[in-house]
Amino acid sequence: PCPRQLSFNTTIAPWDDPTMRQAISLIIDRTQIINVAYEGTSTPSQTMFVQYGGMAPYIDAIVAAGMGISPTADVAAGQALIEAAGYAMGGSGFYEKDGAALTVDILVNNSTAEYTRTTDVIVEQLRNAGIDATSQPLTGQTWDDSVNNGNFTAAYNWDSCGSVNEPWNSMNRFTARFVVPVGERSPGGNNWVRWN
């Protein structure tokens, strides 16, 4: 029941920049993910919370405040943010800065077809937008150790979900009290993105 997400290790440049993470969010077409990876059997979340009726007051308030997530992509807006950060489209079809391509390697727990199928769609969307994206499927415990110890750039997961009906339990997972250095295991799997 928990929403799925693409999480970035916020200690790794350029993904430590919230504008670059916003660019990725704009490029991702969640409706296409639902149509392809889920074969139309789900609904894109508008927030980090599950789209259940009991969560409507919170979701509606977030959307009304202009902080909701669009179910469709705005690739041009995402690319504009990348270009504003100093990247230019290179001859390889990927954005470059100072001679290096803009890359992202996405770890995915390969224990379910849902995760790997979704990551395949995300990788294709990012590559089409000019980001040299790859997917790295890992078995359950290897994936868990990698993300919890901060040994990743991006990961596909559901781990912001602390509860399906209590928003505080989900938001609390990202409080600074859980921030630990890369190489040290995140306490209870909380804030392994090291957002501070």
Side-chain angles (χ1 to χ4, degrees):
C2 294
R4 306 305 192 248
Q5 66 195 42
L6 181 62
S7 296
F8 285 88
N9 184 335
T10 61
T11 68
I12 296 177
W15 309 113
D16 57 341
D17 179 351
T19 302
M20 292 296 287
R21 297 192 305 270
Q22 182 183 12
I24 295 292
S25 183
L26 288 165
I27 290 168
I28 292 175
D29 188 322
R30 292 153 183 86
T31 299
Q32 184 185 37
I33 290 170
I34 296 299
N35 291 339
V36 175
Y38 288 84
E39 299 178 5
T41 61
S42 190
T43 304
S45 296
Q46 295 176 286
T47 67
M48 68 182 276
F49 305 122
V50 67
Q51 286 290 128
Y52 286 172
M55 294 297 291
Y58 307 104
I59 294 168
D60 293 347
I62 291 167
V63 171
M67 294 183 284
I69 302 168
S70 175
T72 58
D74 187 345
V75 175
Q79 289 174 319
L81 292 177
I82 292 169
E83 291 166 8
Y87 288 88
M89 190 64 73
S92 63
F94 297 118
Y95 281 103
E96 297 177 355
K97 184 177 183 180
D98 301 325
L102 179 59
T103 64
V104 62
D105 184 36
I106 304 168
L107 299 188
V108 58
N109 187 330
N110 66 0
S111 61
T112 70
E114 167 207 337
Y115 288 0
T116 54
R117 289 176 66 176
T118 301
T119 305
D120 288 345
V121 175
I122 292 170
V123 165
E124 182 178 357
Q125 291 175 356
L126 297 179
R127 291 181 70 82
N128 287 341
I131 299 166
D132 189 4
T134 57
S135 175
Q136 183 180 359
L138 298 173
T139 58
Q141 191 59 49
T142 304
W143 182 89
D144 184 72
D145 287 344
S146 296
V147 297
N148 278 292
N149 288 306
N151 299 319
F152 71 101
T153 301
Y156 182 73
N157 61 96
W158 59 268
D159 294 52
S160 71
C161 186
S163 171
V164 297
N165 62 1
E166 173 49 68
W168 182 88
N169 286 332
S170 295
M171 294 185 296
N172 183 57
R173 294 193 64 141
F174 294 98
T175 57
R177 70 185 174 117
F178 295 123
V179 174
V180 295
V182 169
E184 185 177 325
R185 191 168 183 84
S186 296
N190 291 303
N191 202 0
W192 49 258
V193 297
R194 286 151 172 84
W195 183 75
N196 193 357

